Amino acid sequence: MDHLTLYGEQFNARLLLGSALYPSPQIMLDSLAASGTEWVTLSLRRQNPAHAQGDSFWQLLRDSGCKLLPNTAGCTSASEAVNLAEMSRELFDTPWIKLEVIGDDYNLQPCPFGLVAAAQTLIERGFKVLPYTTDDLVLARKLLDVGCQALMPWGAPIGTGLGLMNPYNLRTLRDRLPDTPLIIDAGLGAPSHAAHAMEMGFDAVLLNSAVARACDPVAMARAFALAVSAGRTAYCAGIMAPSQTASPSTPTLGQPLLAMPQ
């Protein structure tokens, strides 16, 4: 079977979903089920399981059967992200963390310096870090150098739905880091965006707004699951290379010639 391997663990699903913005908890659970995901992200800044409301929400996510991926959304410094990650490990009993260190409030672009510093500290403390990063190759290599075994480059800024804004940079990442699991995170708005990412050879996609804000989140979750599967299957099958010149799909060699009337 075509598994996704992260930090030595194998997973079947290549679609990861967030838990925010859904019209209701039940619609969120139904969407998770429809997507077939094994992962759901949770922001400690939105839901604190130390409080009654957070504990109830955490119980819902645990009942979903999905693996919980806490994140450090909203953090703007390495120290803040490290502290939040430590809280998540204690509260949720998991070493997994989606690392976010935001450097700009307008487009929510990751801060490269804080991201690398936080990743290094967390890796040294035994975390399995999935860093939310840009599509910059040099930054990606710095994150790998400090011990990250997988990366989550953005397709576009969080919540924009713009899709893959810089295919050249993303293809460069994929080509230059062939053995690194790469998960497109943020900016996907349509199932076609997810299919495109998978056709390019990315290992998985993570999204939230495109499903949660849809008129029918459950149906949209199912659509994204189909798109991810189709894109991955196409990539593995071998997509034909584009060409600037036309090439007939029907061979002419050996075709009978019609005699012209005398």
Side-chain angles (χ1 to χ4, degrees):
M1 184 177 291
D2 185 29
H3 295 291
L4 169 64
T5 302
L6 301 173
Y7 287 90
E9 295 188 35
Q10 290 187 335
F11 304 93
N12 295 320
R14 293 178 179 272
L15 173 60
L16 295 76
L17 282 186
S19 59
L21 306 175
Y22 291 88
S24 72
Q26 187 58 54
I27 290 178
M28 177 196 69
L29 292 176
D30 292 343
S31 298
L32 294 175
S35 74
T37 187
E38 295 174 78
W39 293 89
V40 59
T41 64
L42 173 68
S43 171
L44 294 183
R45 289 183 174 274
R46 294 194 183 97
Q47 297 289 343
N48 186 347
H51 300 156
Q53 182 183 6
D55 186 63
S56 175
F57 191 73
W58 155 239
Q59 185 63 45
L60 283 175
L61 293 177
R62 184 174 63 180
D63 292 344
S64 74
C66 294
K67 191 179 188 72
L68 189 65
L69 180 60
N71 66 36
T72 59
C75 292
T76 57
S77 68
S79 59
E80 189 180 10
V82 168
N83 289 338
L84 200 59
E86 290 285 12
M87 287 176 56
S88 76
R89 179 161 63 177
E90 180 178 350
L91 292 168
F92 299 120
D93 190 27
T94 177
W96 291 90
I97 193 75
K98 177 190 169 186
L99 178 61
E100 297 184 33
V101 181
I102 300 302
D104 182 82
D105 290 336
Y106 178 73
N107 66 0
L108 302 180
Q109 180 172 330
C111 170
F113 310 105
L115 189 63
V116 172
Q120 181 171 11
T121 299
L122 292 173
I123 291 291
E124 291 172 352
R125 296 185 184 184
F127 282 87
K128 298 180 179 182
V129 179
L130 299 176
Y132 165 60
T133 180
T134 63
D135 51 22
D136 182 88
L137 177 61
V138 175
L139 174 54
R141 284 178 166 162
K142 292 294 184 183
L143 290 166
L144 295 177
D145 288 343
V146 300
C148 294
Q149 296 182 24
L151 305 175
M152 305 182 82
W154 68 356
I158 295 173
T160 60
L162 293 173
L164 307 183
M165 289 189 63
N166 198 329
Y168 174 81
N169 277 10
L170 292 173
R171 289 187 187 279
T172 300
L173 279 182
R174 183 68 286 174
D175 292 344
R176 301 295 294 276
L177 304 174
D179 300 321
T180 300
L182 298 176
I183 301 171
I184 292 293
D185 176 19
L188 303 185
S192 58
H193 298 158
H196 188 194
M198 301 303 292
E199 289 171 357
M200 290 170 65
F202 284 88
D203 298 279
V205 299
L206 189 157
L207 52 98
N208 188 167
S209 299
V211 170
R213 289 178 172 170
C215 296
D216 186 339
V218 178
M220 187 60 74
R222 189 176 300 112
F224 268 100
L226 292 170
V228 168
S229 177
R232 178 65 182 178
T233 301
Y235 172 75
C236 293
I239 299 172
M240 70 175 291
S243 173
Q244 294 296 323
T245 59
S247 176
S249 58
T250 303
T252 57
L253 184 64
Q255 283 189 340
L257 297 177
L258 297 177
M260 295 295 293
Q262 299 296 324

